[in-house]
Amino acid sequence: MFGINGPEFILLLLIGILVIGPQRLPEYTQKLANLVREVRRMASGAREQLKEEVGIDIDDVDWKKYDPRQYDPRRIIKEALLEDDTKPVSAGGPAAVAAAASAAASHTEERPARIIESLGVGERAPFDSEAT
């Protein structure tokens, strides 16, 4: 809790007891207990309100999906560069069939010539006033 281990916590408790004093110690322990109860009540109330508004329970959420460390650009680029792109394709797979069909179609059919229209010297390009 807060990066404090057991011996450090005991030392802080002893310092707190010495600073507060034995007369006021019961009063402060009661205040601390009330504070802890109030924080727990608020946390459970927030959990219930979230469940009512969103419709999911906090325990059911997969928090690994929302971990920003998984979106480290260096890691993404490294994985993309090390990824093997030469995956074997089966002979009857969809990619192989499509590639064979397009290769056969390109050899048998002639493509129409591409017509490129250019403007004459001094001719203005068409302008559509409604398009802007």
Side-chain angles (χ1 to χ4, degrees):
M1 175 171 71
F2 304 115
I4 300 174
N5 58 18
E8 291 174 347
F9 184 73
I10 292 173
L11 181 66
L12 287 172
L13 235 132
L14 288 174
I15 291 172
I17 290 172
L18 292 175
V19 170
I20 293 174
Q23 291 84 13
R24 294 182 286 169
L25 188 61
E27 175 187 341
Y28 281 100
T29 55
Q30 185 63 34
K31 285 182 180 180
L32 180 65
N34 289 340
L35 177 71
V36 169
R37 265 189 242 113
E38 185 66 22
V39 168
R40 283 187 181 171
R41 187 189 61 76
M42 288 173 42
S44 66
R47 178 181 296 241
E48 291 300 319
Q49 184 178 2
L50 181 70
K51 186 176 180 180
E52 288 173 9
E53 292 178 3
V54 179
I56 58 171
D57 193 15
I58 292 177
D59 298 331
D60 297 337
V61 175
D62 182 18
W63 293 107
K64 290 182 181 180
K65 269 193 318 192
Y66 303 112
D67 186 12
R69 292 176 289 189
Q70 70 178 338
Y71 300 114
D72 181 25
R74 293 173 292 189
R75 184 187 57 79
I76 293 170
I77 292 171
K78 181 180 175 184
E79 288 176 359
L81 291 175
L82 295 178
E83 189 174 277
D84 186 19
D85 289 339
T86 57
K87 296 178 182 170
V89 178
S90 64
V97 171
S102 66
S106 67
H107 290 294
T108 58
E109 298 176 11
E110 288 187 27
R111 294 186 179 179
R114 187 172 180 184
I115 301 171
I116 300 175
E117 297 179 20
S118 60
L119 298 174
V121 178
E123 188 179 355
R124 297 182 73 187
F127 179 76
D128 186 6
S129 63
E130 294 179 3
T132 56

